[in-house]
Amino acid sequence: MADRARVWLVTGVSSGLGLELARHLVGQGETVVGTLRRATQCAAFEALAPGRAHARVLDVTDAAAIAPLVAGVVREFDGIDVLVNNAGYGLFGAVEELTEAEARGVMETNFFGLLNLTRAVLPHFRTRRRGHVINISSIAGLTGIAGAGLYCASKFAVTGLSESLAQELAPFGVRVTVVEPGGFRTQFSGGSLTLARRLMPEYADTPAARPRGMREHFHGTEQGDPRKAAEAIVAAVDAAQPPLHLLLGPDALAMVRRKLEGFNSDLAAWEPMTLGTSFKQ
C-alpha cells in the first residue's frame, strides 16, 4: 500500500473485473472514480464505500465527453494516480459473418475508447512525472481465436498500443501494464457477450462456431476468480518494477506456452529461408 490514498479512475465498473477491482480498492482505503454507462447504476456503485466510491456516467465511445470528465476528476480529487481502462465487451462471430457496423462498434469501445481516455490522462501523468496506465486486454490479444476475429483484433490493438506506450512514457516515470486474463467468472461470457446478428450455417460445424456456445456451456464455470485478479492488478501497481504484461489465469499461461511452442516450430521450419538469403541477388 502507498502512504496515502491513491485516486484510481476505472472504466466499466457496473460488473465483472471492474466492479471487483473497485471493491478491493475501496476496501484498502483507496479512492475510486468509476465510470458507468447509465445514471441508474451510480447509486449502487457509490454505496460500496460512501466518500471513496465516486460514480461518473460515461460511454467511452463518446469521444467528446472524455476530456471534460478527466479534467473534472483531476480538479475534484487533486489528480489521478492510476487509470484502468477496463470498459469493453466480447464480440463473437466469424469474420465473414460480422457486419462493418459490428466490427467498428467493438473497435470503438475496446480500442478507441481506451485510446481516447489514455490520451486525455497522459498530459496530467507526464507533467507530474508519475502515474500508471492499466489496460485490460485478454489472451485474445495474444493469440487468434476462430470465431472471435474482431474481438481479437481489438485486443491485439490494445496490446500493441500498450507496449509502445510503455517505451514512450518511461522517460517521464509513467508505468504501463497490459492485463491479459483468461476465463474469469464475470459477465464476459454472459450478458456482456455479443454474437454476430447474422450467423451463417456454413460455419455451423467449423471452429468458428465454438465461441457461440459460451453462454450455455462456459459462463459461470471459468477457472479464474475475479477477486484474485483484482488483487493481482493492485500488486502489480504496488511493485517496485511493475510488469508490462500481466497474464492472469492458468488457461492464459497454457495458451501462451502453446503459442511460444508454435513460434519455435515455425522458426525451425523456416530458418533456412532467411530474409538475408532471400534478398541476396
Side-chain angles (χ1 to χ4, degrees), residues 138-174:
S138 167
I139 54 173
L142 294 171
T143 188
I145 302 170
L150 265 298
Y151 177 68
C152 290
S154 72
K155 293 301 187 178
F156 264 77
V158 169
T159 298
L161 176 72
S162 301
E163 291 184 352
S164 299
L165 272 176
Q167 298 173 48
E168 294 175 0
L169 299 178
F172 305 104
V174 179

Side-chain angles (χ1 to χ4, degrees), residues 9-213:
L9 175 57
V10 184
T11 64
V13 296
S14 62
S15 64
L17 182 55
L19 179 57
E20 289 296 338
L21 178 60
R23 281 181 177 145
H24 180 70
L25 289 168
V26 296
Q28 297 292 308
E30 303 277 55
T31 296
V32 179
V33 181
T35 73
L36 309 106
R37 286 189 299 162
R38 293 186 289 276
T40 54
Q41 301 169 313
C42 292
F45 178 74
E46 293 190 337
L48 291 176
R52 290 200 308 278
H54 304 269
R56 296 292 184 271
V57 177
L58 177 70
D59 182 338
V60 297
T61 66
D62 184 358
I66 288 174
L69 181 140
V70 169
V73 172
V74 170
R75 282 195 307 270
E76 182 175 351
F77 298 96
D78 195 28
I80 299 168
D81 296 290
V82 185
L83 168 65
V84 182
N85 285 304
N86 171 70
Y89 67 95
L91 174 65
F92 288 168
V95 171
E96 187 181 359
E97 292 175 322
L98 293 165
T99 65
E100 182 176 347
E102 289 172 317
R104 289 185 179 276
V106 76
M107 292 299 296
E108 286 291 340
T109 298
N110 292 3
F111 178 69
F112 285 105
L114 175 151
L115 172 65
N116 290 333
L117 261 160
T118 302
R119 285 167 58 86
V121 172
L122 285 187
H124 173 64
F125 281 177
R126 181 169 42 75
T127 300
R128 298 174 91 197
R129 303 191 76 83
R130 68 180 187 273
H132 202 137
V133 179
I134 302 288
N135 289 332
I136 307 300
S137 183
S138 167
I139 54 173
L142 294 171
T143 188
I145 302 170
L150 265 298
Y151 177 68
C152 290
S154 72
K155 293 301 187 178
F156 264 77
V158 169
T159 298
L161 176 72
S162 301
E163 291 184 352
S164 299
L165 272 176
Q167 298 173 48
E168 294 175 0
L169 299 178
F172 305 104
V174 179
R175 308 297 182 87
V176 178
T177 298
V178 56
V179 181
E180 289 137 341
F184 276 75
R185 293 185 296 277
T186 66
Q187 286 298 311
F188 175 81
S189 57
S192 297
L193 178 62
T194 299
L195 294 178
R197 287 187 287 270
R198 181 186 66 137
L199 296 178
M200 298 169 59
E202 291 88 345
Y203 287 99
D205 296 318
T206 73
R210 291 173 189 160
R212 299 177 187 176

